[in-house]
Amino acid sequence: MPFLFFSGRPCLDFAATRGGCGDRDTERIGTADRLTRWGIEAGLLPDDGGARGATERIAQEARGLRECLYRAVWAKMDGGIPRRADVAEVNGWARSTPLPLALSADGRSRAWAGTETVTGMLASLARDAVELLTDVDPARLRECAGETCMVVFLDQSRTNSRRWCSMDLCGNREKKSSLKRRHSGVR
């Protein structure tokens, strides 16, 4: 299964590693290798084999963090308060050492300082979640309107009217389905 990177925040992209577009039971980071691959594709880990710390235990902990993030985001969307256990899990990771951020050589983008670890990536994702949960208007958080999609995204549109995680995936699928329904009703 491909990874999904169109939610508007790294922590939401990470939450989309379970379910996402399609089957709600899809697991995209079921192994340490898949967790590392997600980090590489997300631009959080180097693609030169330099990422360290991916073990099956860390992958299991990452899946636990992901579930806490997802539930906490839903609590915010519903106007509620996240479960204490979820808050404790996110805070535990957020207190860990995050990825060391640096300015790239061109001075225009971010880079990592060369000590990338999977645990540092998870700490950075937890910190991103803390920022999202404390700084973002809950009206800007949405679940994709796709029938089989469970991606939560940050709506950054000017009119706050985005409906799909991705027009190329769910939006296109829904438009095709709607067109097919209209044409089958004409006959």
Side-chain angles (χ1 to χ4, degrees), residues 34-91:
R34 290 290 293 167
L35 176 61
T36 300
R37 174 55 38 202
W38 182 88
I40 290 167
E41 290 186 26
L44 298 171
L45 296 173
D47 196 12
D48 60 5
R52 300 184 316 271
T55 65
E56 293 308 318
R57 182 182 64 78
I58 293 294
Q60 182 177 6
E61 290 177 12
R63 290 187 297 273
L65 172 62
R66 176 197 58 206
E67 298 305 313
C68 290
L69 294 174
Y70 191 77
R71 286 190 299 266
V73 168
W74 266 101
K76 180 174 180 90
M77 289 169 56
D78 289 341
I81 298 171
R83 299 187 319 186
R84 286 184 189 171
D86 292 342
V87 170
E89 180 77 9
V90 171
N91 285 341

Side-chain angles (χ1 to χ4, degrees), residues 122-135:
L122 295 175
S124 296
L125 290 168
R127 287 176 181 219
D128 183 53
V130 169
E131 291 175 8
L132 177 81
L133 294 168
T134 58
D135 296 342

